[in-house]
Amino acid sequence: ESKRLRTGPVLHDPARHDDTSGQLRLVEELRLALVRDELVLHLQPQVDVGTGALHGVEALVRWQHPARGLLGPASFVPLAEAHGLIGPLTERVLELALAQLARWRADGVRLRVSVNLSASNLLDEALPERLLGRLLHHRVDPADLVLEVTENVFAGDSPQVRGVLTALAGLGAGLSIDDYGTGWSSLGYLRRLPVGELKLDRSFTADLRTDHRTAAIVGSTIDLAHRLGMRVVAEGVEDEPTLHELERLGCDLSQGYLHARPLPADELAGWVAARAA
Ligand code: C2E
Ligand code: CA
Ligand code: CA
Ligand code: CA
């Protein structure tokens, strides 16, 4: 049965497990969603720890599914990765992010946008050139785009991945290491790659105030990052005491429910206005 699934699509097979046919249907719907423009970005503020100023946003993809409502990335990004759709998905997300940057620029607003890349995007040697085309089309400053990759993409030390990352950085976009500290944490790659930012994983942020070992790791990671000329973002910041601890340790930016949940662009504008008032 599973062999048949791999050799080609079987449309009506009642013997198949419900989950599998449901997932395959979702994959087909996702293929259509990409052309029907059903993906939307929610934007989560990244706030300067020292000044409280809004520095930028992380773009987090959602799928406005016609029947199921708004779906989070956990229910379709892994599916896209497994079924060859992560290339088009990422390009759609990049396109939406660049369009947002262009709108802000037209409004005189200067914010950065961080976009999440999947590991397999870094095997696509044509990505940097296509991204360059879209940057030029939207007349967006590449420095306003930050590309987040998780540290496990460095694990194999693949020349292909290194080449794509170097080319992306060569466009002028920033590179950020996401979920830092959870994976293959050899710092060797930081010496060779133009990485400008570390994002401390939420698990470190969560334990910061209650576990002195976590605080020691976070403090020395921030110091090391600064010595390497990198800035540090703490993700998952949910309360004031944690923010104060991050400030004490010299963390640059914070992101989390304390400031705001990921918001549609119009609600983000409302959030900015409410804070200014
Ligand atoms: P991530 O990159 O680590 O994104 C942070 C996740 O933590 C987001 O979940 C965000 O909503 C959530 N979060 C933010 N602040 C807090 C907080 O204070 N507390 C807690 N508990 N959670 C917080 P989301 O939006 O469901 O995204 C989940 C993951 O999906 C992301 O993790 C990222 O790995 C992936 N993802 C999202 N958008 C994209 C995309 O456009 N492309 C790809 N390839 N992956 C994406
Ligand atoms: Ca991220
Ligand atoms: Ca993260
Ligand atoms: Ca995470």
Side-chain angles (χ1 to χ4, degrees), residues 225-242:
H226 287 168
R227 291 181 70 165
L228 291 166
M230 302 164 69
R231 69 172 174 249
V232 179
V233 184
E235 63 176 23
V237 180
E238 296 184 351
D239 54 65
E240 284 287 351
T242 300

PDB file of all heavy atoms in Angstrom, residues 225-242:
ATOM      1  N   ALA A 225      28.659  36.527  20.794  1.00  0.00           N
ATOM      2  CA  ALA A 225      28.049  37.085  19.585  1.00  0.00           C
ATOM      3  C   ALA A 225      28.528  38.521  19.369  1.00  0.00           C
ATOM      4  O   ALA A 225      28.893  38.902  18.251  1.00  0.00           O
ATOM      5  CB  ALA A 225      26.521  37.038  19.698  1.00  0.00           C
ATOM      6  N   HIS A 226      28.553  39.294  20.442  1.00  0.00           N
ATOM      7  CA  HIS A 226      28.989  40.689  20.302  1.00  0.00           C
ATOM      8  C   HIS A 226      30.447  40.783  19.876  1.00  0.00           C
ATOM      9  O   HIS A 226      30.817  41.629  19.065  1.00  0.00           O
ATOM     10  CB  HIS A 226      28.747  41.448  21.610  1.00  0.00           C
ATOM     11  CG  HIS A 226      27.288  41.733  21.838  1.00  0.00           C
ATOM     12  ND1 HIS A 226      26.795  42.187  23.040  1.00  0.00           N
ATOM     13  CD2 HIS A 226      26.208  41.624  21.012  1.00  0.00           C
ATOM     14  CE1 HIS A 226      25.477  42.352  22.949  1.00  0.00           C
ATOM     15  NE2 HIS A 226      25.100  42.011  21.735  1.00  0.00           N
ATOM     16  N   ARG A 227      31.266  39.889  20.415  1.00  0.00           N
ATOM     17  CA  ARG A 227      32.683  39.906  20.013  1.00  0.00           C
ATOM     18  C   ARG A 227      32.848  39.538  18.553  1.00  0.00           C
ATOM     19  O   ARG A 227      33.813  39.924  17.910  1.00  0.00           O
ATOM     20  CB  ARG A 227      33.501  38.959  20.895  1.00  0.00           C
ATOM     21  CG  ARG A 227      33.593  39.483  22.319  1.00  0.00           C
ATOM     22  CD  ARG A 227      34.411  38.583  23.178  1.00  0.00           C
ATOM     23  NE  ARG A 227      35.825  38.642  22.809  1.00  0.00           N
ATOM     24  CZ  ARG A 227      36.805  38.170  23.570  1.00  0.00           C
ATOM     25  NH1 ARG A 227      36.524  37.602  24.730  1.00  0.00           N
ATOM     26  NH2 ARG A 227      38.047  38.244  23.169  1.00  0.00           N
ATOM     27  N   LEU A 228      31.882  38.768  18.021  1.00  0.00           N
ATOM     28  CA  LEU A 228      31.913  38.404  16.605  1.00  0.00           C
ATOM     29  C   LEU A 228      31.158  39.435  15.750  1.00  0.00           C
ATOM     30  O   LEU A 228      30.941  39.222  14.556  1.00  0.00           O
ATOM     31  CB  LEU A 228      31.294  37.015  16.411  1.00  0.00           C
ATOM     32  CG  LEU A 228      32.112  35.852  16.984  1.00  0.00           C
ATOM     33  CD1 LEU A 228      31.272  34.585  17.063  1.00  0.00           C
ATOM     34  CD2 LEU A 228      33.361  35.600  16.144  1.00  0.00           C
ATOM     35  N   GLY A 229      30.709  40.513  16.384  1.00  0.00           N
ATOM     36  CA  GLY A 229      30.010  41.562  15.646  1.00  0.00           C
ATOM     37  C   GLY A 229      28.579  41.222  15.291  1.00  0.00           C
ATOM     38  O   GLY A 229      28.013  41.774  14.352  1.00  0.00           O
ATOM     39  N   MET A 230      27.985  40.288  16.054  1.00  0.00           N
ATOM     40  CA  MET A 230      26.615  39.883  15.759  1.00  0.00           C
ATOM     41  C   MET A 230      25.656  40.436  16.800  1.00  0.00           C
ATOM     42  O   MET A 230      26.033  40.655  17.941  1.00  0.00           O
ATOM     43  CB  MET A 230      26.518  38.349  15.781  1.00  0.00           C
ATOM     44  CG  MET A 230      27.458  37.684  14.797  1.00  0.00           C
ATOM     45  SD  MET A 230      27.665  35.944  15.165  1.00  0.00           S
ATOM     46  CE  MET A 230      26.053  35.358  14.745  1.00  0.00           C
ATOM     47  N   ARG A 231      24.395  40.632  16.405  1.00  0.00           N
ATOM     48  CA  ARG A 231      23.398  41.009  17.401  1.00  0.00           C
ATOM     49  C   ARG A 231      22.612  39.767  17.823  1.00  0.00           C
ATOM     50  O   ARG A 231      22.601  38.753  17.113  1.00  0.00           O
ATOM     51  CB  ARG A 231      22.487  42.117  16.889  1.00  0.00           C
ATOM     52  CG  ARG A 231      21.582  41.688  15.796  1.00  0.00           C
ATOM     53  CD  ARG A 231      20.533  42.724  15.418  1.00  0.00           C
ATOM     54  NE  ARG A 231      19.849  42.198  14.260  1.00  0.00           N
ATOM     55  CZ  ARG A 231      19.940  42.700  13.032  1.00  0.00           C
ATOM     56  NH1 ARG A 231      20.609  43.803  12.808  1.00  0.00           N
ATOM     57  NH2 ARG A 231      19.315  42.106  12.032  1.00  0.00           N
ATOM     58  N   VAL A 232      21.955  39.886  18.971  1.00  0.00           N
ATOM     59  CA  VAL A 232      21.235  38.748  19.531  1.00  0.00           C
ATOM     60  C   VAL A 232      19.763  39.115  19.738  1.00  0.00           C
ATOM     61  O   VAL A 232      19.442  40.171  20.296  1.00  0.00           O
ATOM     62  CB  VAL A 232      21.850  38.305  20.879  1.00  0.00           C
ATOM     63  CG1 VAL A 232      21.080  37.127  21.463  1.00  0.00           C
ATOM     64  CG2 VAL A 232      23.322  37.949  20.695  1.00  0.00           C
ATOM     65  N   VAL A 233      18.897  38.230  19.269  1.00  0.00           N
ATOM     66  CA  VAL A 233      17.458  38.363  19.450  1.00  0.00           C
ATOM     67  C   VAL A 233      17.009  37.256  20.394  1.00  0.00           C
ATOM     68  O   VAL A 233      17.355  36.093  20.178  1.00  0.00           O
ATOM     69  CB  VAL A 233      16.691  38.197  18.115  1.00  0.00           C
ATOM     70  CG1 VAL A 233      15.201  38.441  18.309  1.00  0.00           C
ATOM     71  CG2 VAL A 233      17.262  39.103  17.037  1.00  0.00           C
ATOM     72  N   ALA A 234      16.256  37.593  21.423  1.00  0.00           N
ATOM     73  CA  ALA A 234      15.643  36.561  22.261  1.00  0.00           C
ATOM     74  C   ALA A 234      14.224  36.343  21.782  1.00  0.00           C
ATOM     75  O   ALA A 234      13.456  37.297  21.638  1.00  0.00           O
ATOM     76  CB  ALA A 234      15.642  36.990  23.724  1.00  0.00           C
ATOM     77  N   GLU A 235      13.868  35.102  21.500  1.00  0.00           N
ATOM     78  CA  GLU A 235      12.489  34.826  21.069  1.00  0.00           C
ATOM     79  C   GLU A 235      11.686  34.274  22.237  1.00  0.00           C
ATOM     80  O   GLU A 235      12.242  33.787  23.226  1.00  0.00           O
ATOM     81  CB  GLU A 235      12.454  33.889  19.861  1.00  0.00           C
ATOM     82  CG  GLU A 235      13.023  32.509  20.092  1.00  0.00           C
ATOM     83  CD  GLU A 235      12.866  31.588  18.872  1.00  0.00           C
ATOM     84  OE1 GLU A 235      12.734  32.069  17.737  1.00  0.00           O
ATOM     85  OE2 GLU A 235      12.887  30.376  19.073  1.00  0.00           O
ATOM     86  N   GLY A 236      10.368  34.397  22.146  1.00  0.00           N
ATOM     87  CA  GLY A 236       9.500  33.848  23.187  1.00  0.00           C
ATOM     88  C   GLY A 236       9.519  34.625  24.493  1.00  0.00           C
ATOM     89  O   GLY A 236       9.317  34.043  25.555  1.00  0.00           O
ATOM     90  N   VAL A 237       9.747  35.923  24.428  1.00  0.00           N
ATOM     91  CA  VAL A 237       9.742  36.749  25.647  1.00  0.00           C
ATOM     92  C   VAL A 237       8.292  37.011  26.049  1.00  0.00           C
ATOM     93  O   VAL A 237       7.535  37.620  25.300  1.00  0.00           O
ATOM     94  CB  VAL A 237      10.502  38.076  25.419  1.00  0.00           C
ATOM     95  CG1 VAL A 237      10.482  38.922  26.681  1.00  0.00           C
ATOM     96  CG2 VAL A 237      11.922  37.787  24.963  1.00  0.00           C
ATOM     97  N   GLU A 238       7.923  36.511  27.219  1.00  0.00           N
ATOM     98  CA  GLU A 238       6.514  36.570  27.626  1.00  0.00           C
ATOM     99  C   GLU A 238       6.256  37.449  28.839  1.00  0.00           C
ATOM    100  O   GLU A 238       5.102  37.733  29.151  1.00  0.00           O
ATOM    101  CB  GLU A 238       5.988  35.147  27.891  1.00  0.00           C
ATOM    102  CG  GLU A 238       5.979  34.281  26.634  1.00  0.00           C
ATOM    103  CD  GLU A 238       5.382  32.897  26.852  1.00  0.00           C
ATOM    104  OE1 GLU A 238       5.117  32.539  28.010  1.00  0.00           O
ATOM    105  OE2 GLU A 238       5.198  32.178  25.841  1.00  0.00           O
ATOM    106  N   ASP A 239       7.301  37.851  29.564  1.00  0.00           N
ATOM    107  CA  ASP A 239       7.045  38.682  30.750  1.00  0.00           C
ATOM    108  C   ASP A 239       8.143  39.716  30.981  1.00  0.00           C
ATOM    109  O   ASP A 239       9.258  39.575  30.482  1.00  0.00           O
ATOM    110  CB  ASP A 239       6.859  37.802  32.004  1.00  0.00           C
ATOM    111  CG  ASP A 239       8.021  36.854  32.195  1.00  0.00           C
ATOM    112  OD1 ASP A 239       9.142  37.323  32.429  1.00  0.00           O
ATOM    113  OD2 ASP A 239       7.804  35.625  32.073  1.00  0.00           O
ATOM    114  N   GLU A 240       7.789  40.726  31.765  1.00  0.00           N
ATOM    115  CA  GLU A 240       8.705  41.838  32.057  1.00  0.00           C
ATOM    116  C   GLU A 240       9.989  41.390  32.767  1.00  0.00           C
ATOM    117  O   GLU A 240      11.068  41.838  32.390  1.00  0.00           O
ATOM    118  CB  GLU A 240       8.002  42.899  32.924  1.00  0.00           C
ATOM    119  CG  GLU A 240       7.014  43.779  32.184  1.00  0.00           C
ATOM    120  CD  GLU A 240       7.668  44.812  31.267  1.00  0.00           C
ATOM    121  OE1 GLU A 240       8.910  44.972  31.315  1.00  0.00           O
ATOM    122  OE2 GLU A 240       6.925  45.426  30.485  1.00  0.00           O
ATOM    123  N   PRO A 241       9.882  40.552  33.821  1.00  0.00           N
ATOM    124  CA  PRO A 241      11.122  40.161  34.493  1.00  0.00           C
ATOM    125  C   PRO A 241      12.136  39.510  33.543  1.00  0.00           C
ATOM    126  O   PRO A 241      13.342  39.741  33.668  1.00  0.00           O
ATOM    127  CB  PRO A 241      10.638  39.168  35.561  1.00  0.00           C
ATOM    128  CG  PRO A 241       9.219  39.544  35.816  1.00  0.00           C
ATOM    129  CD  PRO A 241       8.694  40.013  34.494  1.00  0.00           C
ATOM    130  N   THR A 242      11.650  38.722  32.609  1.00  0.00           N
ATOM    131  CA  THR A 242      12.558  38.108  31.628  1.00  0.00           C
ATOM    132  C   THR A 242      13.199  39.176  30.748  1.00  0.00           C
ATOM    133  O   THR A 242      14.396  39.131  30.458  1.00  0.00           O
ATOM    134  CB  THR A 242      11.792  37.070  30.776  1.00  0.00           C
ATOM    135  OG1 THR A 242      11.280  36.059  31.638  1.00  0.00           O
ATOM    136  CG2 THR A 242      12.687  36.447  29.725  1.00  0.00           C
TER     137      THR A 242
END
